[in-house]
């Protein structure tokens, strides 16, 4: 078996929530190189998306491996020390616990992992994509994944015999703390039930998708931990990572990326408090836009049966995405023009995790019920 682990965290960035420093990235690379030399990982890649560092590791320790998770924590801790030395902003931001033993899930970093049989006859080659998003939550993937895995409008491949049996979605209640509260729903039959849940991107997220033609094959993994559920208060946005295997009985990369030309609105942005469009951007892009527009990067890889990664292809680093980027910027400006009003800002339940909740609580205390008709009596007081 081979495992792909993508573990992502924000442990400090330059001049605000922009990007990690070169020294932080070098320290992470040194540790990954060493892990490869001593055989802990077979291969790796290291990227950042905005201020989040993503470790992609290929190994044989399985999903949720204590060795791999402890190692990832070590890498993030080393990068945190450098961020502290350099006086960077938010040093160690996503490391919410002192030292988790054996599993970084629930401790802050985002984790997406898929384990598969590299000898399976139905997978003669193993192409896959890694999506890394900054300034948004895991629900940002609800729209593109629902459309690609349930609707031939975005993925005509669903009409082919291998995909016609559909896909099983594992949906998680991201508001639930302690243990995963999940439900399995099958598309195409239950695509409306899926829609009913997934429209609420703050509460429900897609944790996994499996093929129904080959039920042992996991196609998608998304990091679905929400920092506020773990910490009980706003600790930065959740900045998700997703792994999606492609081709054969799974959608093709060009189908998987097709919903991103919508530049759909997601929850996130400045202080994680607004709705803004998701802009597809090249990997290793710093966040510098107004209200820090949410960004998503996508890297395509192939991996051999012995765990060697190909060179990556930076999918959104291409002029075909320029018009989407422009559209995202225009949609963002349009939304921001109405400031904080109505849909521009997140619903109150989301803001309650931030310092807003103190002011809200104070205002709640000042409300009175005046009978029978409030305003007149209030005016005579
Ligand atoms: P990050 O979650 O990327 O650190 O962003 C937090 C934020 O509040 C940006 O305004
Ligand atoms: Mg940050
Ligand atoms: Mg971030």
């Amino acid at each position: 078996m081979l495992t792909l682990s993508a573990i992502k965290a924000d442990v400090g960035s330059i001049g605000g929530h922009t990007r990690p420093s070169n020294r932080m990235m070098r320290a992470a690379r040194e540790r990954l190189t060493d892990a490869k030399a001593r055989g802990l990982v077979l291969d790796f890649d290291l990227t950042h998306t905005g201020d989040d560092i993503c470790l992609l590791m290929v190994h044989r320790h399985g999903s949720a491996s204590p060795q791999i998770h402890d190692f990832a924590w070590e890498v993030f801790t080393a990068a945190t020390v450098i961020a502290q030395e350099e006086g960077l902003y938010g040093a160690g931001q996503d490391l919410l616990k002192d030292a988790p033993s054996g599993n970084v899930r629930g401790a802050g970093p985002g984790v997406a992992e898929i384990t598969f049989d590299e000898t399976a006859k139905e997978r003669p080659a193993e192409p896959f994509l890694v999506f890394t998003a900054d300034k948004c939550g895991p629900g940002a993937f609800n729209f593109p994944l629902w459309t690609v895995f349930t609707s031939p409008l975005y993925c005509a491949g669903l009409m082919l015999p291998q995909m016609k049996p559909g896909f099983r979605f594992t949906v998680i209640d991201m508001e639930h703390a302690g243990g995963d509260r999940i439900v399995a729903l099958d598309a195409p039959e239950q695509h409306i039930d899926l829609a009913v849940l997934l429209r609420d991107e703050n509460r429900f997220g897609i944790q996994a998708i499996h093929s129904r033609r080959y039920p042992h094959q996991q196609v998608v993994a998304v990091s679905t931990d929400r920092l506020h559920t773990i910490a009980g208060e706003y600790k930065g946005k959740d900045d998700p990572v997703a792994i999606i295997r492609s081709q054969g009985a799974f959608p093709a990369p060009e189908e998987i990326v097709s919903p991103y030309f919508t530049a759909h609105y997601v929850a996130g942005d400045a202080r994680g408090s607004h709705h803004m469009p998701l802009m597809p951007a090249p990997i290793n892009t710093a966040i510098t836009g107004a209200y820090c527009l949410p960004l998503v990067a996508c890297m395509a890889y192939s991996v051999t049966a012995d765990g060697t990664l190909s060179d990556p292809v930076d999918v959104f680093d291409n002029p075909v995405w320029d018009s989407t980027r422009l559209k995202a910027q225009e949609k963002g400006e349009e939304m921001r023009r109405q400031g904080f009003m109505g849909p521009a800002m997140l619903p109150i339940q989301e803001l309650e995790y931030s310092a807003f909740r103190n002011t809200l609580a104070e205002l709640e205390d000042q409300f009175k019920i005046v009978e029978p008709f409030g305003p007149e009596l209030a005016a005579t007081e």
Side-chain angles (χ1 to χ4, degrees):
M1 303 293 267
L2 269 187
T3 301
L4 305 173
S5 296
I7 306 187
K8 176 157 160 312
D10 173 354
V11 290
S13 46
I14 304 171
H17 295 276
T18 60
R19 69 163 173 84
S21 69
N22 296 337
R23 251 186 86 201
M24 290 166 71
M25 294 300 283
R26 274 201 300 277
R29 182 167 298 280
E30 273 163 25
R31 276 160 183 80
L32 284 159
T33 307
D34 175 63
K36 185 174 167 180
R38 60 192 161 88
L40 176 68
V41 301
L42 299 170
D43 213 346
F44 70 87
D45 198 14
L46 172 71
T47 60
H48 74 84
T49 302
D51 57 11
D52 308 321
I53 298 176
C54 182
L55 321 177
L56 171 67
M57 295 169 282
V58 188
H59 58 91
R60 293 202 188 275
H61 305 284
S63 300
S65 149
Q67 284 134 291
I68 295 294
H69 281 230
D70 283 346
F71 169 68
W73 190 264
E74 226 178 276
V75 175
F76 291 132
T77 310
T80 298
V81 170
I82 292 172
Q84 284 163 342
E85 284 172 12
E86 294 183 320
L88 301 189
Y89 187 71
Q93 177 184 285
D94 285 358
L95 307 186
L96 300 181
K97 306 242 162 107
D98 279 345
S101 59
N103 196 333
V104 299
R105 271 204 63 206
V111 181
E113 299 185 294
I114 300 185
T115 298
F116 57 91
D117 176 3
E118 72 283 12
T119 64
K121 274 199 293 297
E122 66 273 17
R123 297 290 293 168
E126 192 53 57
F128 68 96
L129 302 170
V130 177
F131 287 88
T132 45
D134 190 27
K135 308 295 179 265
C136 58
F141 292 125
N142 286 8
F143 167 72
L145 289 175
W146 183 89
T147 50
V148 166
F149 286 87
T150 72
S151 168
L153 273 178
Y154 281 83
C155 177
L158 295 181
M159 295 183 281
L160 294 170
Q162 294 234 74
M163 276 187 268
K164 251 183 90 184
F167 293 90
R168 169 160 293 191
F169 285 65
T170 306
V171 174
I172 181 165
D173 177 353
M174 297 184 288
E175 289 295 325
H176 183 80
D180 288 352
R181 184 166 183 262
I182 56 171
V183 61
L185 294 170
D186 286 337
E189 303 91 301
Q190 294 177 291
H191 74 287
I192 299 293
D193 287 335
L194 275 167
V196 169
L197 294 179
L198 298 179
R199 57 158 292 286
D200 186 353
E201 66 166 283
N202 294 314
R203 177 157 179 205
F204 298 109
I206 298 162
Q207 189 180 55
I209 300 179
H210 286 77
S211 162
R212 291 171 76 194
R213 169 72 183 79
Y214 301 105
H216 56 284
Q217 293 286 10
Q218 182 173 354
V219 195
V220 173
V222 184
S223 65
T224 45
D225 292 313
R226 298 214 50 200
L227 299 178
H228 77 217
T229 309
I230 300 168
E233 60 183 313
Y234 182 67
K235 287 281 181 192
K237 214 57 192 172
D238 310 284
D239 301 345
V241 53
I243 301 175
I244 307 185
R245 297 164 73 203
S246 65
Q247 301 286 19
F250 312 152
E254 53 273 30
E255 291 164 332
I256 295 167
V257 298
S258 66
Y260 289 90
F261 65 51
T262 309
H264 59 294
Y265 288 106
V266 298
D269 188 54
R271 303 178 196 282
S273 305
H274 302 265
H275 283 128
M276 284 285 262
L278 185 62
M279 180 186 278
I283 198 73
N284 302 332
T285 297
I287 300 276
T288 57
Y291 270 76
C292 46
L293 206 61
L295 292 192
V296 60
C298 174
M299 297 284 269
Y301 302 87
S302 284
V303 61
T304 63
D306 63 7
T308 305
L309 282 173
S310 63
D311 297 333
V313 169
D314 185 345
V315 176
F316 293 143
D317 184 16
N318 189 296
V320 297
W321 294 97
D322 286 349
S323 63
T324 304
R325 284 189 265 275
L326 188 60
K327 176 168 59 189
Q329 183 59 28
E330 284 168 357
K331 285 177 71 166
E333 287 178 20
E334 219 33 73
M335 188 61 116
R336 293 274 55 86
R337 224 162 256 141
Q338 72 176 61
F340 59 88
M341 283 292 178
M345 239 175 142
L346 294 196
I348 209 78
Q349 307 90 293
E350 285 293 307
L351 298 180
E352 276 175 353
Y353 289 98
S354 70
F356 266 83
R357 73 170 151 197
N358 303 330
T359 310
L360 278 168
E362 282 167 25
L363 289 170
E364 284 290 344
D365 283 347
Q366 294 174 36
F367 274 85
K368 293 184 191 140
I369 296 171
V370 186
E371 301 209 26
F373 298 112
E376 273 171 63
L377 286 182
T380 60
E381 247 181 38

